[in-house]
Amino acid sequence: MKKLNNFTMILPDRKPDGRIRMTVLIALLTLSSFWGFAQTTFNNTGNISVPSSGNATPYSSNISVSGMSGVIIEVKVVLTNVNHSNPDDLDIVAQSPTGVNVVLMSDVMGSDNITNRIYTISDAGSSNFSNNSSNSSGTYRPTNSGSSDNWPSPGPGTITQSSPSLSS
């Protein structure tokens, strides 16, 4: 059984080369519980801005989860209004209150500009994010391309996940 009380989205800009425009993300966390097959959505309606260098603001972005009982059978993360001039620079990790980290997307989608995209990240996604070209809005599996990534404090530090999964 997984019991979640808080979920943290951590979005640093780890490549300080000036290629990034402001990125606006709104994260939704959807949990489906086995008992009664209820689906509950928790969200952060605030904007998350990624500057041309340095960490996102806010860093980190917390989503409080409460009132869930039973066994959680599915977790989905939805990123809305994603705008970025070089999405390969976006490294996004989700962290549970027990310290379990899942790389949602890292070093993917190349350097093509993306505008107003909606990405649902779920283990049930039909494919991984593309490594070299931008993805249209849709549902994708958590994808980490390349070697380990570092999310500075208050982030989880260095993570190496070749096949990340939200059911971890």
Side-chain angles (χ1 to χ4, degrees), residues 119-123 125-129 135-142:
Y119 296 122
T120 300
I121 303 170
S122 168
D123 290 343
S126 59
S127 64
N128 289 338
F129 284 99
N135 291 88
S136 59
S137 293
T139 302
Y140 300 93
R141 290 187 297 267

Side-chain angles (χ1 to χ4, degrees), residues 2-10 93-102 168:
K2 292 183 182 182
K3 184 174 181 184
L4 302 175
N5 294 320
N6 195 320
F7 208 82
T8 302
M9 304 290 297
I10 300 173
V93 65
Q95 183 180 63
S96 78
T98 61
V100 175
N101 299 299
V102 177
S168 317

